[in-house]
Amino acid sequence: MKTYKIAIAGFGGVGRATAGLLLSRRERYRQVYDADARLVAVCGSRSGLADANGLEEEQLSNLEDGLSGVAFIEESGADILIEAGPSNFRSGEPGLAYLRAALSAGRDTIVISKGALVHSGRQLRELARASGAMLKLSGAAAAALPTIDLVEHSLKGCEVLKIEGILNATTNYLLDAMTTRGIGFEAALREAQEGGFAEADPRNDTEGWDTACKLLILANFGLGANLTMDDLIVEGIQSITRERVEAWRNEGFVPKLVGSLTNVNGAFRAQVGIKTYPLADPFANIRGKDKAIRITTDAMGETIAIGSGKEPLATAAAALKDLEHILTKRGA
Ligand SMILES: NC(=O)c1ccc[n+]([C@@H]2O[C@H](COP(=O)([O-])OP(=O)(O)OC[C@H]3O[C@@H](n4cnc5c(N)ncnc54)[C@H](OP(=O)(O)O)[C@@H]3O)[C@@H](O)[C@H]2O)c1
C-alpha cells in the first residue's frame, strides 16, 4: 500500500470540512486505490498541527500557536498540498506563496482558493509543468458544480463554442428572492447576511468579481486561454432595482448574473453581467443558492449541469474528487 501524506493550508470552514471528509474516507482510499491517505499537517494563519503518522479528528480542535506558514507545511513532509486559505485575486496571497513552494518542489497540489490562480495562473501552470506536479482546482472553479471536469473529461475532443454559467450562489439567491418574492436588493442582501452566506462586505459577489474569477480560471485552466482580469467586462447586480426585476417578470423573463465565454475564431471573449431568460429556459429555473453551467460544443450540442450541494461540505467533496484523480494517476 502506498502512503500519501497530505497537508491542508487554510483551516477555516472549508479546510476543516475537507479534513473531516478526508479522515472519514480513509477506508475508501485503502480499498479503491490501495492508498494510505494520511493527513499530516493543517494550519490557519497563526496556528497549526503536524504529525507524520497522521492526525486524527479529535486532535483538530486544538491547534498550536506558531505552527503556520510555507516553511511549516514544507517541513511536514507532505506529498500533497490542499490549499484552502482566503482568496485575493489582486495580490494572489496568501495562497500564492504556498502554491509556488509546493509546485516548485513537485508536490501535487489541490487549490480551493481562487486568488493565486487568477493572479499568477500562468506561472503556476509553468511551475507544475516543470516539476511534473499535478495542479488540480475543482474547488476554485465553482466547486461542487462540475466545470473543468466537464470540458476535460465529458466533452473531451469537442470544440467549446460557448459557455454560460451561473457561478455565484449569493447573487443567484439575491436575484431569485427579488424575482420570486418581489423584495428589493437591500432586503434580500440583509436576509442573505443574516443567513450567514453573504459576506459582511458582499461586493466581491454582488459586483461580479467572484463570478469573473471562476470564469477566468475555467477559461485559462480548462480551455487553454490566457486571459487576465483586464480582458473581462465585469458588471454586477448591485444597481438592479425591485422595479426593474418586476418589469422583467411582467415580460416573462428572469434575470441571472451570468459569466459568459464566447469562442471567436479560437480566442475566448469573457464577460460577466445580467442576462434575462424566458421561463422555459433551464437557467430561469436555477433557484436559491444553486449554480449552473451550459456548455455548447461543435459536436455534442448543449450540455447543462446544475449544482446544489450544501457548503462547505460540497466544496470539500470537490477538492477530494481532485484527490481521487491524483490517487488514480499516481497509483497507476
Ligand atoms: N465557503 C465556501 O462555501 C467556499 C466555496 C468554494 C470556495 N471557497 C474558497 O475556499 C477558501 C476558504 O473559504 P472558507 O469559507 O473556509 O474561509 P475561512 O473560513 O475564512 O477560512 C480561511 C482560513 O484561511 C486561514 N488563513 C489566512 N491566512 C493564512 C495564511 N497566511 N496561512 C495559512 N492559513 C491562512 C485562516 O486562518 P485563521 O483562522 O487563523 O484566520 C482560516 O483558517 C476561500 O478562498 C474561499 O473563496 C469557499
Side-chain angles (χ1 to χ4, degrees):
M1 183 170 299
K2 192 166 169 184
T3 300
Y4 296 84
K5 295 183 178 177
I6 300 165
I8 301 179
F11 208 53
V14 172
R16 282 181 183 278
T18 305
L21 195 58
L22 172 69
L23 293 175
S24 75
R25 287 182 175 175
R26 273 181 299 185
E27 191 50 37
R28 169 179 168 76
Y29 301 138
R30 280 191 198 105
Q31 284 184 6
V32 178
Y33 302 99
D34 199 26
D36 173 12
R38 229 177 255 182
L39 181 63
V40 296
V42 300
C43 76
S45 65
R46 288 178 302 271
S47 57
L49 214 54
D51 185 340
N53 294 318
L55 294 162
E56 296 295 335
E57 179 81 52
E58 52 278 12
Q59 295 174 268
L60 299 178
S61 44
N62 290 314
L63 303 193
E64 291 173 27
D65 286 346
L67 301 184
S68 175
V70 175
F72 166 69
I73 294 292
E74 297 291 294
E75 284 158 19
S76 72
D79 316 298
I80 299 174
L81 171 70
I82 302 178
E83 193 278 321
S87 217
N88 181 338
F89 71 89
R90 294 183 175 90
S91 72
E93 296 296 353
L96 191 50
Y98 287 98
L99 300 182
R100 276 195 187 122
L103 293 170
S104 304
R107 204 162 292 133
D108 293 334
T109 301
I110 296 168
V111 191
I112 299 176
S113 74
K114 294 166 277 291
L117 297 172
V118 173
H119 184 272
S120 294
R122 193 174 175 175
Q123 185 201 28
L124 294 173
R125 265 189 291 182
E126 278 162 13
L127 286 175
R129 201 174 303 126
S131 71
M134 291 178 76
L135 173 58
K136 304 293 291 177
L137 40 91
S138 297
L145 175 73
T147 56
I148 296 219
D149 272 358
L150 283 181
V151 293
E152 278 187 352
H153 299 279
S154 310
L155 303 171
K156 203 174 184 67
C158 294
E159 187 185 10
V160 172
L161 304 176
K162 193 175 170 194
I163 292 183
E164 285 182 310
I166 298 173
L167 302 175
N168 179 270
T170 303
T171 44
N172 197 58
Y173 179 91
L174 299 179
L175 287 173
D176 189 39
M178 291 171 77
T179 304
T180 56
R181 289 189 278 129
I183 62 176
F185 176 78
E186 291 301 333
L189 180 58
R190 238 184 345 267
E191 199 176 275
Q193 285 169 328
E194 282 163 12
F197 54 90
E199 304 285 328
D201 179 356
R203 288 175 296 179
N204 194 43
D205 293 324
T206 57
E207 292 179 1
W209 299 113
D210 179 74
T211 299
C213 285
K214 290 168 182 160
L215 194 65
L216 193 143
I217 291 168
L218 175 56
N220 290 353
F221 287 89
L223 302 173
N226 206 3
L227 301 175
T228 69
M229 218 30 128
D230 290 340
D231 298 316
L232 271 71
I233 299 166
V234 182
E235 286 173 5
I237 66 163
Q238 67 278 14
S239 54
I240 303 296
T241 60
R242 184 164 53 178
E243 292 71 26
R244 184 66 265 202
V245 172
E246 198 179 332
W248 278 321
R249 200 176 47 202
N250 291 340
E251 292 161 11
F253 287 99
V254 177
K256 296 290 176 189
L257 183 71
V258 171
S260 317
L261 289 170
T262 312
N263 184 335
V264 183
N265 302 323
F268 282 95
R269 280 203 199 130
Q271 186 165 359
V272 176
I274 289 275
K275 283 193 173 190
T276 57
Y277 294 90
L279 290 173
D281 191 299
F283 265 34
N285 299 292
I286 306 304
R287 305 298 308 274
K289 290 181 267 176
D290 292 357
K291 291 179 236 165
I293 189 163
R294 169 162 36 207
I295 305 178
T296 311
T297 62
D298 58 346
M300 289 200 200
E302 243 181 50
T303 300
I304 295 182
I306 299 171
S308 60
K310 200 166 156 26
E311 297 297 356
L313 181 66
T315 294
L320 294 186
K321 168 186 71 175
D322 285 348
L323 175 67
E324 297 209 17
H325 283 310
I326 292 173
L327 297 181
T328 303
K329 179 92 187 291
R330 295 302 182 202

